[in-house]
Amino acid sequence: MPSRRFADGEVVMGRWPGSVLYYEVKVTGYNYVSHLYTVKYKDGTELALKESDIKSQSSFKHRKSQSSSSSPSRRSTSRSRSRSPGRPAKGRRRSSSQSREPKDDKKKTIQETNLALLVLICLFIKPSENNTRRYNGEPESTERNDTSCTVLEEKLKPDLELERVLEQYSLRPRKEEKKKEEIYSEKKIFETVKTIEKPSSKTKELEFGGRIGTFMLIFFLPATVFYLLLMCKQDDPSLLNVPPFPALESLWEPRAFGLFLLWFFLQALFYLLPIGKVVEGLPLSNGRKLHYRINGFYAFILTAAAIGTLLYFQFELHYLYDHFVQFAVSAAVFSLGLSIYLYIRSLKAPEEELAPGGNSGYFVYDFFTGHELNPRIGSFDLKYFCELRPGLIGWVVINLAMLLAEMKIHNQSMPSLSMILVNSFQLLYVLDALWNEEAILTTMDITHDGFGFMLAFGDLVWVPFVYSLQAFYLVGHPTAVSWPVAAAITVLNGIGYYIFRRANSQKNSFRRNPADPKLAYLKFIPTATGKGLLVTGWWGFVRHPNYLGDIIMALAWSLPCGFNHILPYFYVIYFICLLVHREARDEHHCKQKYGLAWERYCQRVPYRIFPYIY
Ligand code: NDP
């Protein structure tokens, strides 16, 4: 194992990527595979740096004593704006005999820095003083006062100025578009550096209650599913009416398990079909990009054709309703087996392929959260496949089976209005997810969480068997809904869907091409990583507008079940808890990624999900 020069916790000077500026940073980790140090800047930004980009503090003090010019350490304590990125080059030239860098490299860096300086100066000088005050209508002094440390201030000044300039560009898109693109292409360099250099080191901060919490969740999640299903089957599904535990042998039905396997492998076959485009995912810690085939929507159409054929040949789909609990047991057994396989294979996976969130070294925690980030058999991506196919399409098939079961049991020629509402709302949601399949590649599930019990059970059991609870409930507990009420619920679902879709699309488009002229009306805060944080549009309304839309839809899915029992509202209650917790996790990651820029975003957009409430 190669030795490392700097220890965890050591305070050193770290070079800012793409520049010759050094700032005080704290070493927080080291990756022995990529040989990169994880360092934390004073504003909370975490980056991965090469050893050659880190210097001990003493080497800076040494230089300072040799030269009265603006050495990096001196620069870091100066408030003067003239201590610009161009100055250190001069200082260095004078102390070239002490420099470790080869002369040519240094010259190149000086030229690059001066060029960057020139661009920045041109941009900073252009706006008038009045214009800079236009920033959000806030007085300029607020922007200047929010730096607590001088090192940080030097670093942030260009950022703040740049932000003002960029925000003005969004007011004058046509004229300044080119410059905006230039800035972005400059900033993209930072982004690439960051994404590629980020090492996969040990997970230090444990989520979900750590080892004890994840151990309990492994039992609690399946228990909750079976409790809900058994309750739903009762005539009186009140909370206090605890269902009797069924005989163990009645829970297992080999035919149900066989059908589940058939379903899973049929979906795998659809996934492997060479139809649909192939896209690249985000860069991994080693810089590699995985390829993903986008054909979820085709898989849905093929499934619909297969189910239609079965129905044509009188296949009784309500078999699913009759053996619902046994199907859930089959899916749970399968997901447990899959999780064990995933954990065993992850033990052989190279360090760089482990999940940033599931590499704690604790068996229970890593088993639950997922140890390997993108487990693949050849080009077959197990996590990506399970995220949208067997569970999500399975949910629609289950809903259809419930609709048919309702008609059969109650001898109806037509399904009830409430059943139609639930089926169509949820069908829209699934179709939307499959139509926008590519968007999943930037979600936390794909980029951060490994594939373990949490996602395997969530995708294959929780989603199809708990999300279909309203339809399952309606079969045993018919609920009449009047047309005006149905219309009101439909409007509510429409509002939720509109917010959800618009917010997700706005962010996706912005992330894909921030210089898109169609987005020129949006304002954003630039961050040190090169990515911007939207502060107007949906993302300026609340910090997670997509969650808000999702929750409104969840409510609309429960309302057709009436108010006799709380059971059909389980989904909306659970979903609020899930998204509040997810929001907190995302907030934590964004704080680490964007540091002070994130804090400023939070000041600008104070509400997380519900405006004026939370
Ligand atoms: P989000 O789509 O909410 O993405 C969060 C990320 O967006 C952040 O990490 C950050 O990433 C980026 N971001 C945050 N603020 C801004 C901003 N102001 N401007 C630009 N980018 C910003 O993540 P999720 O994966 O949690 O959710 C995706 C969708 O899936 C949501 O609609 C959610 O409701 C839904 N969902 C549904 C579930 C279900 O069971 N039905 C479960 C979970 C989610 P970066 O800066 O790195 O791009």
Side-chain angles (χ1 to χ4, degrees), residues 20 102-114:
V20 291
K103 232 176 179 178
D104 282 348
D105 276 1
K106 206 166 59 181
K107 238 182 190 169
K108 204 170 146 219
T109 320
I110 293 164
Q111 279 164 0
E112 277 169 9
T113 315
N114 285 339

Side-chain angles (χ1 to χ4, degrees), residues 235-293:
D235 289 339
D236 173 20
S238 316
L239 276 187
L240 296 178
N241 190 16
V242 179
F245 197 82
L248 277 181
E249 56 274 17
S250 72
L251 293 176
W252 183 252
E253 161 76 49
R255 196 168 160 214
F257 187 66
L259 283 171
F260 178 82
L261 289 181
L262 192 67
W263 169 256
F264 188 87
F265 290 110
L266 180 73
Q267 290 303 322
L269 183 71
F270 291 163
Y271 172 70
L272 288 172
L273 290 179
I275 44 172
K277 62 177 177 178
V278 175
V279 300
E280 282 186 336
L282 292 182
L284 302 171
S285 60
N286 58 10
R288 219 156 52 90
K289 286 183 184 174
L290 296 176
H291 290 94
Y292 297 88
R293 186 172 289 284

Side-chain angles (χ1 to χ4, degrees), residues 429 442-445 463 467 500 504 507 510-511 531-535 539 543-544 546-547 550 571 574-575 578-579 582 586 590 593-594 598 601:
Y429 191 74
T442 56
T443 61
M444 240 198 281
D445 287 3
V463 168
Y467 287 18
F500 164 84
N504 278 325
K507 178 169 68 74
F510 182 69
R511 279 283 172 264
K531 289 183 187 174
L533 290 171
L534 290 167
V535 284
W539 295 81
R543 297 210 289 271
H544 265 99
N546 48 356
Y547 289 2
D550 226 337
Y571 176 70
Y574 140 81
F575 203 48
L578 173 91
L579 291 183
R582 198 174 169 94
D586 189 48
C590 287
K593 266 189 281 185
Y594 302 125
W598 182 258
Y601 172 56

Side-chain angles (χ1 to χ4, degrees), residues 206-439:
L206 305 191
E207 300 173 297
F208 306 105
R211 282 181 284 173
I212 296 174
T214 47
F215 178 75
M216 286 167 70
L217 280 170
I218 290 170
F219 297 96
F220 179 75
L221 292 177
T224 308
V225 175
F226 295 113
Y227 186 74
L228 289 170
L229 298 189
L230 294 175
M231 246 176 75
C232 209
K233 280 193 97 171
Q234 300 192 113
D235 289 339
D236 173 20
S238 316
L239 276 187
L240 296 178
N241 190 16
V242 179
F245 197 82
L248 277 181
E249 56 274 17
S250 72
L251 293 176
W252 183 252
E253 161 76 49
R255 196 168 160 214
F257 187 66
L259 283 171
F260 178 82
L261 289 181
L262 192 67
W263 169 256
F264 188 87
F265 290 110
L266 180 73
Q267 290 303 322
L269 183 71
F270 291 163
Y271 172 70
L272 288 172
L273 290 179
I275 44 172
K277 62 177 177 178
V278 175
V279 300
E280 282 186 336
L282 292 182
L284 302 171
S285 60
N286 58 10
R288 219 156 52 90
K289 286 183 184 174
L290 296 176
H291 290 94
Y292 297 88
R293 186 172 289 284
I294 306 292
N295 64 5
F297 199 78
Y298 293 114
F300 181 87
I301 292 170
L302 290 173
T303 308
I307 298 286
T309 312
L310 286 178
L311 290 177
Y312 181 77
F313 288 107
Q314 310 287 314
F315 179 84
E316 302 211 317
L317 203 58
H318 61 80
Y319 176 83
L320 241 170
Y321 169 77
D322 299 337
H323 297 85
F324 200 43
V325 177
Q326 290 150 346
F327 272 104
V329 171
S330 302
V333 167
F334 184 84
S335 68
L336 181 65
L338 179 63
S339 315
I340 293 170
Y341 162 74
L342 290 166
Y343 185 76
I344 292 172
R345 62 166 278 156
S346 74
L347 297 176
K348 287 194 206 133
E351 181 88 6
E352 59 181 16
E353 287 178 13
L354 300 180
N359 186 20
S360 68
Y362 300 121
F363 161 69
V364 175
Y365 187 85
D366 294 347
F367 173 77
F368 179 83
T369 52
H371 200 203
E372 195 177 346
L373 185 60
N374 302 296
R376 285 186 162 208
I377 302 172
S379 64
F380 192 99
D381 193 299
L382 290 162
K383 181 169 69 170
Y384 173 67
F385 165 71
C386 287
E387 278 278 297
L388 288 185
R389 315 303 180 91
L392 214 62
I393 301 177
W395 174 17
V396 173
V397 176
I398 289 172
N399 274 354
L400 177 66
M402 298 301 162
L403 182 146
L404 295 171
E406 184 202 50
M407 285 169 66
K408 187 175 157 79
I409 290 170
H410 301 290
N411 223 357
Q412 295 168 196
S413 58
M414 281 279 292
S416 66
L417 186 54
S418 21
M419 185 62 100
I420 292 175
L421 290 180
V422 167
N423 260 263
S424 16
F425 293 164
Q426 298 185 348
L427 175 66
L428 171 72
Y429 191 74
V430 172
L431 288 180
D432 179 273
L434 295 171
W435 185 258
N436 297 290
E437 188 179 9
E438 206 174 327

